[in-house]
């Protein structure tokens, strides 16, 4: 037990250094990006980028509904992913669109995506706070995730039919700089929660993983030539860190007591009371 505790402390220290160091390194990169990024340019394979994000969102929502129905402690993971993918999808559509498409995207983000994001974040934080306790998942939550999926899928299909493969993207400086700021905040939060040994690390680590995956996806899919090669190099850094984040979140969730398992501290207290009664 002592050896296992030392090993866990060592893993936590390494993880704190990884995320803390990553947040520190991101800060100057954000400044460089904000100064050098073009304001508008052509985006390529936009239909593919939209399809990928749609698949990520639907898969996360469906998985959230299934884990909620099964009342699994791991339900903290898919809502965290779904909320992040929904937010980044809305961020990309709203920031890079122009004129009439902007009004449509903004209305859809406010009235459809935002309620789903709020629900997913609320559930993930509640599950993390209670360390996966089954009573944290209200009976109506799986139905809400299924309803969100039913509403979102037709819109995703419509967007895929209407969106052009190549189009001019606007406000790219704001989009990419904002995305990197989100990554910096989530990595710093993950390092802090690891340092404090907080259960909320399960949420922040999954948010970090989703942000890194989204960054790599948009970078690789929407660029060509030299920018595409640079995006592939960046993906070689972002994807392993995203996988590492998923592993840390999974380790945190697995450390939570399972439903129906006896509480060790309660059992110990009960045993002590029994021994005192015998001694008395």
């Amino acid at each position: 037990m002592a050896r296992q505790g030392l090993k866990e402390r060592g893993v936590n220290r390494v993880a704190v250094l990884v995320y803390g160091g990553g947040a520190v390194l991101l800060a100057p990169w954000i400044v460089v990006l904000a100064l050098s990024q073009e304001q508008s340019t052509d985006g390529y394979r936009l239909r593919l980028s939209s399809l990928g994000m749609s698949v990520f969102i639907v898969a996360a929502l469906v998985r959230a509904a299934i884990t909620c129905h099964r009342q699994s402690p791991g339900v903290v993971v898919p809502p965290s992913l779904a909320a992040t993918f929904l937010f980044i999808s809305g961020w990309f559509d709203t920031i890079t669109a122009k004129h009439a498409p902007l009004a449509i995207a903004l209305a859809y983000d406010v009235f459809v995506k935002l309620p789903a994001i709020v629900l997913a974040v609320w559930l993930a934080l509640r599950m993390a706070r209670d360390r996966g306790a089954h009573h944290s998942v209200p009976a109506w939550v799986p139905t809400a995730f299924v309803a969100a999926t039913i509403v979102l899928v037709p819109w995703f299909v419509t967007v895929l039919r209407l969106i052009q493969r190549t189009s001019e993207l606007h406000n790219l400086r704001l989009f990419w700089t904002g995305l990197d700021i989100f990554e910096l905040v989530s990595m710093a939060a993950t390092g802090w929660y690891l340092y404090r040994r907080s259960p909320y690390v399960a949420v922040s680590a999954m948010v970090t993983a989703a942000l890194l995956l989204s960054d790599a996806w948009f970078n690789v899919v929407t660029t060509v030539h030299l920018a595409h090669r640079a995006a592939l190099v960046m993906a070689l850094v972002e994807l392993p860190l995203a996988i590492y984040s998923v592993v840390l979140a999974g380790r945190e969730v697995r450390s939570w007591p399972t439903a129906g398992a006896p509480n060790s501290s309660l059992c110990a207290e009960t045993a002590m009371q029994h021994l005192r009664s015998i001694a008395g």
Side-chain angles (χ1 to χ4, degrees), residues 93-218:
D93 293 341
T94 304
I95 295 299
T96 60
K98 189 178 182 181
H99 304 313
L102 173 60
I104 297 173
L106 184 60
Y108 183 74
D109 292 341
V110 170
F111 294 108
V112 180
K113 290 184 179 179
L114 184 58
I117 292 171
V118 172
L119 172 62
V121 170
W122 169 78
L123 179 63
L125 293 176
R126 180 169 175 171
M127 288 295 293
R129 181 198 64 189
D130 296 340
R131 289 176 169 82
H134 286 188
H135 63 78
S136 296
V137 183
W140 55 267
V141 169
T143 304
F145 281 124
V146 171
T149 305
I150 293 173
V151 173
L152 284 165
V153 168
W155 171 259
F156 290 151
V157 174
T158 302
V159 170
L160 288 175
R161 291 174 63 89
L162 297 178
I163 193 172
Q164 298 179 359
R165 295 182 181 180
T166 302
S167 181
E168 186 178 8
L169 299 176
H170 303 272
N171 302 315
L172 285 179
R173 184 178 303 169
L174 177 59
F175 171 74
W176 288 118
T177 304
L179 183 55
D180 282 336
I181 291 175
F182 302 148
E183 290 175 9
L184 185 151
V185 172
S186 65
M187 291 180 69
T190 301
W192 174 251
Y193 288 139
L194 282 166
Y195 177 75
R196 296 295 301 271
R197 299 182 180 228
S198 168
Y200 291 117
V201 70
V203 177
S204 64
M206 291 310 303
V207 170
T208 301
L211 287 171
L212 290 168
L213 180 60
S214 300
D215 194 348
W217 177 255
F218 282 117

Side-chain angles (χ1 to χ4, degrees), residues 12 18 25 54 61 64 76 78 91 115 126 137 139 146 152 155-156 172 181-182 187 209 237 253 259-260 269-270 277:
N12 271 356
V18 168
L25 291 175
S54 302
L61 288 173
V76 70
W91 176 257
R126 180 169 175 171
V137 183
V146 171
L152 284 165
W155 171 259
F156 290 151
L172 285 179
I181 291 175
F182 302 148
M187 291 180 69
V237 178
V253 171
E269 180 64 25
T270 303
S277 64

